[in-house]
Amino acid sequence: MEQRVMEKKDVKSFIAELIKLYPAVYGPVAKGKSVVFDRLKDAGEAKFNYTRSILPPKKYLMPQQECIMKFDMPPSPKAESVVEFEDQVIIGVHPCDIRATKLLDMIMKGGNPDDNYNKRREHTVIIGIDCVPDLYCYCSSVMDLKCTEGFDIFLTDLGDQVLVDVLTEKGKEIISKIETKPASGTHLKKQEELIEAKKKLFTAKFTGPVQLLPLELEGQWEAPVWEDMGKKCLSCGQCVLVCPTCYCFDVADELDLSMKKGDRVRKWDGCQLAGFAYVGSGENFREEPGARVRHRYHRKFKYHVDSHSMTFCTGCGRCWVHCPVDINLVEISNRIFKREAECKA
Ligand code: SF4
Ligand code: SF4
């Protein structure tokens, strides 16, 4: 990894350069009291001192809704897949969302590659930035705070200067177009100090190591926590729809009014919605909200760890912030740790 520094006052002209170079540049912008990722038309629009965006930048790799195939009906049936992409930069991505993108890359490139996601990903430059946690962030319990992969460029605010970690060839090409200087040992030391200081800011924490959860969950299928959370859960699906690592979708054929042609469309779907597990026979194999909460939790902390050795929660806190009844995976995890400790005592 190449490490350079730029003057903080030059960040705006860096973004302006990106807007000139790329057909689409997305970044965090203010929307009312919230922050959302949106297209940057002007360098001044970017708001870097934010805690979390409503939706993660995942929406530029896997849109909420997209046409994946166009078809003609008989008598001359025809089908053509649709893969839409353009060169794009996503700037201002926090370490938790960078990790989420890395996890999605693994899934989408894996066993059954997803052409639409992968094509967009190939054409995407990710520029990360460091951040300050709030009461709902718990990335320190589920991942390393130092971001070392999954980005092209990573910016750390050092005060009057910005440390620029350049990881990829795409990143090097961009950085070659702007004025930077090689980073010194002092800059790198300051970055380490910032990470150490950040560790002390988290108030939401797991009381046990996340690596132990897959094992601890073995004996917790009937734990009261699932029914307790199920009684509270409204099955609104907000938690899964804002999650940067959820990738479930539904596919439907939408016929044109002429009845001669149509689009095959995929849309985000989520396992906390009551109809998600309905099957053709009319049965719902996760009918109770508690069973759905348990399923979601296992998807984050057990199933993917067993199959890919990766925890699928990055601690971004979105599901917690957006849950209308305050269901959160920190409380569930700590109840799992507590119950397991009591069982062993
Ligand atoms: S489960 Fe919640 S905290 Fe974890 S990555 Fe998804 S939205 Fe973020
Ligand atoms: S956001 Fe909360 S209430 Fe809504 S489905 Fe998720 S856990 Fe249930």
Side-chain angles (χ1 to χ4, degrees):
M1 180 156 61
E2 204 177 318
Q3 294 184 296
R4 306 192 62 83
V5 276
M6 77 165 96
E7 297 303 313
K8 181 98 148 271
K9 63 179 172 48
D10 293 337
V11 171
K12 260 195 186 174
S13 39
F14 171 52
I15 300 172
E17 187 66 24
L18 292 172
I19 294 172
K20 259 195 258 161
L21 287 172
Y22 283 84
V25 178
Y26 300 102
V29 299
K31 187 171 184 184
K33 286 184 185 159
S34 306
V35 166
V36 298
F37 271 84
D38 207 347
R39 199 168 194 138
L40 299 178
K41 291 174 219 85
D42 180 271
E45 285 177 313
K47 180 179 165 63
F48 285 152
N49 61 339
Y50 74 104
T51 309
R52 70 179 62 72
S53 56
I54 299 175
L55 290 180
K58 170 185 90 173
K59 65 183 180 176
Y60 298 119
L61 300 169
M62 184 182 172
Q64 287 105 316
Q65 175 169 328
E66 67 176 316
C67 172
I68 54 172
M69 190 179 85
K70 288 198 172 288
F71 60 86
D72 289 343
M73 298 291 283
S76 309
K78 200 173 80 183
E80 200 179 335
S81 63
V82 178
V83 184
E84 282 179 353
F85 62 91
E86 64 181 342
D87 285 335
Q88 58 182 2
V89 176
I90 314 177
I91 188 168
V93 184
H94 284 167
C96 55
D97 286 339
I98 291 175
R99 180 166 173 83
T101 309
K102 191 177 151 44
L103 296 171
L104 289 182
D105 289 353
M106 191 176 72
I107 296 297
M108 298 303 190
K109 285 181 190 151
N112 193 10
D114 185 302
D115 285 351
N116 294 55
Y117 178 96
N118 289 327
K119 206 72 187 165
R120 277 188 207 110
R121 185 68 184 91
E122 275 169 37
H123 286 261
T124 301
V125 172
I126 293 187
I127 303 181
I129 56 165
D130 63 334
C131 52
V132 178
D134 71 0
L135 300 177
Y136 300 94
C137 294
Y138 58 93
C139 55
S140 64
S141 292
V142 295
M143 59 180 251
D144 281 341
L145 292 189
K146 182 156 185 176
C147 202
T148 55
E149 53 184 355
F151 59 86
D152 295 284
I153 297 169
F154 191 89
L155 309 175
T156 306
D157 186 346
L158 301 180
D160 292 338
Q161 292 181 310
V162 174
L163 180 66
V164 185
D165 291 334
V166 191
L167 193 63
T168 63
E169 289 306 314
K170 277 195 243 174
K172 278 185 196 162
E173 201 186 315
I174 291 174
I175 290 303
S176 70
K177 295 186 169 49
I178 58 162
E179 202 180 316
T180 58
K181 291 182 199 139
S184 69
T186 314
H187 295 117
L188 305 189
K189 189 162 171 266
K190 205 160 176 190
Q191 185 188 36
E192 294 298 332
E193 285 167 3
L194 283 171
I195 293 171
E196 284 310 306
K198 184 172 166 180
K199 279 183 193 162
K200 299 189 181 109
L201 299 177
F202 290 90
T203 51
K205 289 178 195 166
F206 283 13
T207 50
V210 68
Q211 297 84 347
L212 275 190
L213 276 173
L215 202 60
E216 308 242 322
L217 282 166
E218 293 283 350
Q220 308 261 9
W221 193 251
E222 302 296 341
V225 66
W226 312 124
E227 202 184 326
D228 293 349
M229 295 300 154
K231 279 182 192 152
K232 285 168 61 175
C233 177
L234 305 173
S235 303
C236 65
Q238 299 224 52
C239 50
V240 280
L241 296 176
V242 297
C243 179
T245 69
C246 281
Y247 54 87
C248 288
F249 57 83
D250 197 7
V251 175
D253 286 347
E254 295 181 353
L255 208 51
D256 186 78
L257 281 179
S258 67
M259 305 289 274
K260 289 182 180 154
K261 58 181 182 171
D263 290 347
R264 178 159 294 175
V265 175
R266 76 164 164 187
K267 298 175 186 172
W268 289 359
D269 200 355
C271 62
Q272 299 309 281
L273 295 164
F276 182 81
Y278 269 122
V279 288
S281 62
E283 280 171 89
N284 187 341
F285 56 89
R286 277 193 295 277
E287 202 158 6
E288 298 304 321
R292 295 197 284 275
V293 172
R294 179 174 61 195
H295 174 76
R296 172 174 165 244
Y297 188 86
H298 279 68
R299 291 280 294 177
K300 300 299 173 198
F301 295 108
K302 177 152 178 64
Y303 301 149
H304 279 91
V305 187
D306 290 347
S307 59
H308 296 93
S309 308
M310 296 282 212
T311 296
F312 259 63
C313 172
T314 67
C316 73
R318 284 188 181 89
C319 56
W320 190 353
V321 169
H322 292 283
C323 178
V325 292
D326 201 35
I327 291 175
N328 68 86
L329 304 188
V330 176
E331 184 186 345
I332 297 178
S333 300
N334 292 344
R335 280 187 63 175
I336 298 283
F337 286 125
K338 186 163 178 265
R339 187 167 185 264
E340 188 64 15
E342 284 165 0
C343 289
K344 282 181 190 148

